[in-house]
Every structure is written in structure tokens, then in C-alpha cells.
Amino acid sequence: MSRPHGIPLPSAQRSSDSDETESACADDKQGQPRPREGVRQLTGAERVRTLVESNASVSLTLIGARDSHGSEEFGTGMPVARTATPDGDVILLVSGESTAARAAAHAQDDDLTSVIEITDVAPVSVPHRIRGRAWLAGWLTPVRGDDRGACAALLAERHPVGELLGLGESLDAPHAGRPAWMMLRLEVGEITVDDLWGAEHVDPDDLAAAEPDPVSPHEAELLQHLHSAHGDRIGELCGLLGDRGARGMSAVPLALDRAGLRVRFTGGASGGSFDARFDFPEPVKDICGLRRAMGTLFSAAAH
């Protein structure tokens, strides 16, 4: 199906948080260092796919629709679950009474352009806690017919939630006969990501081919555990920094993926902060591999 070009998409310099600066991770204003050359990292498509499949907060905006106050662009709340299909579409589970559900129910294929914004916040307390944002723009329609079962199964596999049990009709007045929850499909046309690695546009075809990072479902719990129970060992990583290392710095684990650990160091003689990325010997495939990689990293720091 042919699609029109030029979907309204927030630029990488836009933030919906009025307290934030222009870029989600601008070096000069947010203090978020960019990686040095040669550091192993996930591709832009892999980072976006990971965010789509994660529990990071998400908002949905309908472009060009009008509510009772005549707004040209308005938020419609937070979907309770989301996932991506093998084709790269994003499936959203929303309340059947939400603005998005009502608008999508009457939309044709190209009628309802929408943007989802995913905000990634570090699960530990650090300065400049927002690690990045991703925007995916496209066309929003309800999931219909035979696709409903497959999409519900995919949602349940990625994000087991009780709301999936309410995909049938509501029995409560005044909404009797309406679906309690609705699955919507966002056919993605444009993608932008602005995170700790940089700002870039991502090809939707690359998103379809990308796999989410296997560490992501466990990242928040692992970072919190490292920070609370192994803060001393995280601090020892300062010994691997060479000339950048200094006494008196505090170290907080900021991000973890299959390729390595990112730590934010603050304090020291300069009183500033910087990030250091510690690559694993090779990308890990599961939690067992991650434990071995972390053990190797801590052993290197201890010696």
C-alpha cells in the first residue's frame, strides 16, 4: 500500500518536558557524554526496538485530530502495553474509552497519523536521569479480524497483563457493548531516537529486522542491585580509567546492555561528572553470560 510522505514527527531536538533542554541528551546542556570512537554499541534500530519492548514510559499523540476544545494536537494517555510485530508495526493496548480508541475506530488506512514518544529514565538516581527518547510516527488503525488473536498472543508473550482478559465487550453501563480494551496498530513511517549514544533517524525496515536487547527485561533490577549491594565494586572500576580516574569520585551504574556497562562518575578534584563505558569481552546472550562478563570486569578492576 502506498503511503504519503512527511508525517509530522518531533525532531531529535524536541522534548515534551518543559523542564528539559532542547535535546534529550545534549552534551553541553544535559551533561550526557557521547561515546568515543570504537566503543561497541547497539544500532539505532536495536535501541529503538529495545525501547518499544521495554517498560519505559510512553505517550501517544494524534496529529491533526480535534477534541472538544479544538486542539490540533493532543495527548491521548498512556497505552498499558505495547509490542512490535515481525513486520515492524507497533501494537498498542489502550482503553476502549480512550480518545485514541474512539478516533481509530472510525479511521481509514491513512486517516489518523500519530506519534508515540518513549522516554527512557535511569532506574537509579543520577544527575540528568533521562537517558533518551524515541519517537515513532505513522498511521493508527484498530487491529481487526484474524490479526486480533495473533497480536493478543504477542502482547501476552512480551507483557503479561490482566487487561488482555478484557478485550471483550464491557458489561458496565454506560459503556455496555463497547470493548473494554482495544488493540491499535501503528504502521511506522518515521523514527527518530536521541539517547546516550547520539541522535539519529532510523529506517522503519531496520526496526522490523532488529532484535530487542536480551538484557533489557532485567536491566532495571540489575542496575538497582549493583548500586545498592555492590556499590564498592562499581567504584573500583575507577581503576580502569587511567588518567581519568581520581580519588573521591562516586560511581553509579547508569545503563546495561548485552555489549557492556555504562557508569556515571561524579565528584573528584574537578567536581564535574562524566560517563565511562566498559565493554564486555563479547556481547552476552543471556543472564548467565552477563554474570560471567560482570565477573570478568570486576576481576580486572580488582587487579
Side-chain angles (χ1 to χ4, degrees), residues 35 39-43 46-47 50 120 131 195-197 211-220 222-223 226 253-263 276-287 289-291 293-294 297:
V39 176
R40 187 184 298 125
Q41 67 181 81
L42 277 63
T43 66
E46 289 172 329
R47 301 192 320 263
T50 298
D120 180 30
R131 300 187 298 188
D195 60 11
L196 296 171
W197 296 107
E211 291 290 336
D213 186 79
V215 175
S216 178
H218 315 283
E219 185 200 20
L222 290 171
L223 288 178
L226 286 171
L254 177 66
L256 184 64
D257 57 54
R258 69 171 183 263
L261 171 70
R262 187 178 183 123
V263 178
R277 171 78 176 186
F278 300 93
D279 282 352
F280 298 144
E282 60 183 14
V284 303
K285 298 179 180 179
D286 50 33
I287 292 299
L290 178 63
R291 290 195 185 100
M294 291 297 299
L297 180 59

Side-chain angles (χ1 to χ4, degrees), residues 11-15 20-27 29-32 34 117-120 128-135 193-196 199:
S11 73
Q13 299 298 315
R14 170 186 166 182
S15 169
E20 294 298 321
T21 51
E22 290 182 355
S23 171
C25 300
D27 292 351
K29 298 177 181 179
Q30 292 271 349
Q32 304 280 31
R34 299 304 194 191
E117 177 179 342
I118 306 173
T119 302
D120 180 30
H128 317 297
R129 197 166 178 175
I130 294 180
R131 300 187 298 188
R133 288 188 173 92
W135 296 269
V193 61
D194 182 15
D195 60 11
L196 296 171

Side-chain angles (χ1 to χ4, degrees), residues 32-290:
Q32 304 280 31
R34 299 304 194 191
R36 296 182 175 182
E37 292 184 4
V39 176
R40 187 184 298 125
Q41 67 181 81
L42 277 63
T43 66
E46 289 172 329
R47 301 192 320 263
V48 173
R49 183 64 181 257
T50 298
L51 285 176
V52 169
E53 302 289 1
S54 74
N55 292 322
S57 64
V58 61
S59 63
L60 172 64
T61 298
L62 309 183
I63 306 297
R66 290 180 176 270
D67 62 9
S68 58
H69 301 288
S71 174
E72 287 292 339
E73 181 178 337
F74 58 95
T76 62
M78 182 182 297
V80 296
R82 62 184 184 271
T83 191
T85 70
D87 295 330
D89 295 341
V90 178
I91 304 301
L92 305 168
L93 184 65
V94 301
S95 166
E97 289 304 309
S98 66
T99 302
R102 295 197 303 270
H106 303 288
Q108 300 300 316
D109 287 343
D110 294 336
D111 280 356
L112 190 59
T113 55
S114 307
V115 177
I116 58 174
E117 177 179 342
I118 306 173
T119 302
D120 180 30
V121 179
V124 291
S125 180
V126 291
H128 317 297
R129 197 166 178 175
I130 294 180
R131 300 187 298 188
R133 288 188 173 92
W135 296 269
L136 298 90
W139 302 267
L140 198 66
T141 56
V143 176
R144 297 186 174 98
D146 295 339
D147 288 342
R148 285 170 52 83
C151 289
L154 192 58
L155 274 172
E157 177 185 349
R158 300 286 191 180
H159 304 282
V161 289
E163 286 84 354
L164 286 170
L165 299 176
L167 286 175
E169 293 181 350
S170 173
L171 300 178
D172 299 326
H175 309 310
R178 299 180 182 177
W181 298 92
M182 180 181 287
M183 288 183 294
L184 303 179
R185 180 191 306 275
L186 182 73
E187 184 178 345
V188 180
E190 296 182 38
I191 305 170
T192 295
V193 61
D194 182 15
D195 60 11
L196 296 171
W197 296 107
E200 62 182 284
H201 292 282
V202 174
D203 190 311
D205 290 337
D206 293 338
L207 178 69
E211 291 290 336
D213 186 79
V215 175
S216 178
H218 315 283
E219 185 200 20
E221 180 181 358
L222 290 171
L223 288 178
Q224 291 167 355
H225 176 71
L226 286 171
H227 183 46
S228 62
H230 301 287
D232 54 342
R233 305 201 72 177
I234 297 295
E236 289 175 357
L237 295 176
C238 180
L240 300 176
L241 298 179
D243 294 340
R244 288 195 295 166
R247 293 183 179 275
M249 290 193 302
S250 63
V252 178
L254 177 66
L256 184 64
D257 57 54
R258 69 171 183 263
L261 171 70
R262 187 178 183 123
V263 178
R264 178 152 295 166
F265 293 91
T266 58
S270 66
S273 65
F274 65 89
D275 286 6
R277 171 78 176 186
F278 300 93
D279 282 352
F280 298 144
E282 60 183 14
V284 303
K285 298 179 180 179
D286 50 33
I287 292 299
C288 291
L290 178 63

